[in-house]
Amino acid sequence: MSDADFPDAWYLILSSRLIPDLDGGYTISTLARARQMTDAGAAPLLLTVDPGDADAHAAHRRTFVERGAAAASGVFRNLFDEALAPDGGAADWLRASAHEGRADPALEYRDVAGGAISLPNVIDPDWHLTTAPIVVRDAAGDSVSVIDGFGALYRAWLTHLTAQLREKNPRPVVIICESRQLGELIVGWGDDDVRILHTVHTIHLEAPYRPDSALNALWTRWFEIAPRFDAVLWPTAQQRDDVRERFGDAANDVVAPHAVRAPAAVVPTDDRDAGRVVVLGRLAPGKRLPAAVRAFARVVAEVPAARLELWGAGAQRDELEALVAQLGLAEAVTLPGLTNDAGAVLDRAAVYLTTSAFEGQGLALAEALAHGTPVVAYDIRYGPRDMLAAGGGILVPDGDEDALVAALARVLTDAATRRRLSAEAVSAAATLSPARAMQTLAAACGEALSRPRRR
């Protein structure tokens, strides 16, 4: 699949959780990166730290394998699955990392890992930073020791896991951290043979999402530590450039878009439903779907055969159904629900529409390009401007409903325009191919390993 030359190392992809149909594009792109690395010969492990039970984790892994999102269940490792010893108490590595102490009487606790661990219930947006004691029990169920907070727990597991791997082969270790919270906790962890590359999945700005807008509060602290990572992987050049202009050039930032696999063949424009417009994503406020429905009412007035499908699930479903009924669009706008075959949806569509207020990159837009589906998109941060720079769709000023309606009507009524945009889309998607993504990632890993660690 790829001629990417990954350095000889252990590769660990670290995520907070990976659960089917949860966390939208984050889960899809994280799994895709792991699968693409496996196909390129890097053989990463997928690490998670969510405290679900082992049976639930096993079910999640089976689902991912059945869907083709993961190569095998064996690529997954979970902290809490490995925190339970065969005798029923905490595993040796966890006991060795703990010290004498007791639970905080001011906090509520919940038992996980078969009762071997009790986690404090910390009600705070920055819960991950707490040093509240985590209780570690022996096989008899007695509280024997504590570990000081989630960060200490996660780092203890990583230390144990990397030691295990190095017993098999004393290679360097590359951590690809997919979570901001985890990045904050491990930025100072590791020895001279550990490198940490941190990915970015979302926007760092608050509304109105301009380069000088207020930072999202969750990212403020992260930007202070970002130069300490061995590389930061930005999904778009526009976001990387905005960050450089604001914070300076840290010399460790790389543009590494999330990749999508192209279909074996692109469905010709003339074989598609000429009136079908599709949206793929969460039914959430940030997608601005009520505004999309209102704009589509105007499209239908101009193009009576036009139909809009809003694929996905989310909190706004009831609101959207009510709006469709209120506007008398029941025959023109439908909400089919979730799909596990986005490609089949895109292959039938004449247009892919996105009206999001913001994105990290826009994975569904990338898939649309790969399937040769013309795109109509608002010019938002981040994604559409980068991905449509070489064609494949029509970019309209953010929030300009008149321009959006005109663009949709034009593409729906002009077969020649659809054919041209479809051909451009396939060409544009080549920059988002797994082969290109793996070459970029392999080069970033090689560069990080070629110099001393930044931490």
Side-chain angles (χ1 to χ4, degrees):
M1 182 206 76
S2 168
D3 58 359
D5 186 13
F6 279 91
D8 186 27
W10 292 106
Y11 291 93
L12 308 177
I13 296 179
L14 179 62
S15 174
S16 50
R17 64 186 182 189
L18 292 169
I19 299 175
D21 304 322
L22 194 65
D23 301 320
Y26 171 87
T27 299
I28 294 169
S29 59
T30 298
L31 289 168
R33 195 190 320 273
R35 185 64 191 261
Q36 291 156 15
M37 289 180 68
T38 297
D39 292 345
L45 295 176
L46 271 162
L47 313 183
T48 57
V49 296
D50 70 289
D53 64 52
D55 288 343
H57 290 146
H60 299 159
R61 296 164 189 173
R62 285 194 300 272
T63 298
F64 288 137
V65 172
E66 289 168 2
R67 293 179 180 179
S73 293
V75 303
F76 294 90
R77 304 279 292 268
N78 176 266
L79 185 160
F80 292 94
D81 290 354
E82 301 186 3
L84 183 62
D87 65 2
D92 290 343
W93 66 264
L94 184 52
R95 294 190 201 182
S97 302
H99 61 84
E100 185 176 349
R102 58 181 184 138
D104 185 337
L107 295 174
E108 294 183 355
Y109 279 74
R110 60 172 174 144
D111 293 342
V112 297
I117 300 174
S118 287
L119 298 177
N121 186 20
V122 180
I123 309 299
D124 189 302
D126 293 327
W127 61 268
H128 60 293
L129 300 177
T130 184
T131 56
I134 292 172
V135 177
V136 178
R137 294 190 177 89
D138 61 16
D142 298 323
S143 175
V144 295
S145 55
V146 299
I147 193 165
D148 297 326
F150 294 96
L153 176 63
Y154 300 163
R155 292 188 295 269
W157 181 50
L158 288 174
T159 299
H160 163 68
L161 180 58
T162 55
Q164 275 190 327
L165 295 174
R166 284 164 164 171
E167 286 180 4
K168 299 178 182 178
N169 188 325
R171 299 185 292 186
V173 174
V174 176
I175 304 278
I176 299 175
C177 183
E178 304 275 6
S179 163
R180 174 195 56 79
Q181 291 175 330
L182 293 175
E184 291 182 32
L185 295 175
I186 70 165
V187 66
W189 169 82
D191 57 37
D192 288 341
D193 285 328
V194 171
R195 299 294 182 273
I196 301 177
L197 281 64
H198 200 299
T199 69
V200 175
H201 287 261
T202 189
I203 192 169
H204 61 282
L205 302 167
E206 292 285 10
Y209 312 113
R210 305 188 196 284
D212 59 351
S213 294
L215 288 180
N216 182 302
L218 298 176
W219 285 94
T220 302
R221 186 172 48 247
W222 183 88
F223 272 103
E224 295 176 358
I225 63 170
R228 299 175 63 194
F229 294 112
D230 295 291
V232 174
L233 308 182
W234 299 99
T236 68
Q238 187 184 24
Q239 187 174 18
R240 189 274 314 271
D241 292 345
D242 281 355
V243 168
R244 279 186 172 182
E245 183 175 349
R246 186 163 182 171
F247 295 98
D249 183 354
N252 66 334
D253 50 3
V254 178
V255 178
H258 301 298
V260 293
R261 190 184 302 274
V266 173
V267 175
T269 300
D270 295 344
D271 292 344
R272 301 174 183 237
D273 182 344
R276 191 190 302 257
V277 179
V278 300
V279 174
L280 288 162
R282 290 175 294 111
L283 308 182
K287 304 300 183 181
R288 297 191 291 195
L289 296 176
V293 171
R294 293 188 184 94
F296 203 75
R298 295 175 55 189
V299 174
V300 173
E302 293 188 36
V303 188
R307 298 291 180 267
L308 175 64
E309 296 175 352
L310 304 175
W311 288 86
Q316 280 198 308
R317 183 180 184 91
D318 290 346
E319 176 187 346
L320 289 165
E321 289 179 336
L323 178 62
V324 169
Q326 175 189 335
L327 297 177
L329 294 173
E331 297 298 318
V333 180
T334 57
L335 288 88
L338 285 170
T339 178
N340 291 320
D341 192 353
V345 173
L346 292 165
D347 285 343
R348 297 192 300 268
V351 181
Y352 173 76
L353 171 65
T354 175
T355 55
S356 294
F358 61 88
E359 290 284 358
Q361 174 185 329
L363 198 59
L365 193 160
E367 289 193 66
L369 294 177
H371 283 262
T373 307
V375 173
V376 173
Y378 279 137
D379 185 7
I380 60 161
R381 283 176 164 79
Y382 291 100
R385 182 183 296 184
D386 289 70
M387 287 189 283
L388 297 179
I394 299 176
L395 199 63
V396 301
D398 185 24
D400 188 338
E401 184 179 288
D402 291 343
L404 187 75
V405 170
L408 284 169
R410 174 186 169 196
V411 179
L412 290 173
T413 58
D414 188 338
T417 294
R418 291 198 303 278
R419 293 188 197 102
R420 174 177 60 81
L421 292 177
S422 179
E424 291 175 356
V426 173
S427 178
T431 64
L432 304 169
S433 70
R436 182 76 65 87
M438 292 302 100
Q439 291 165 8
T440 299
L441 182 57
C445 293
E447 199 280 331
L449 288 166
S450 72
R451 52 172 168 72
R453 64 173 185 164
R454 287 181 175 271
R455 302 182 304 289

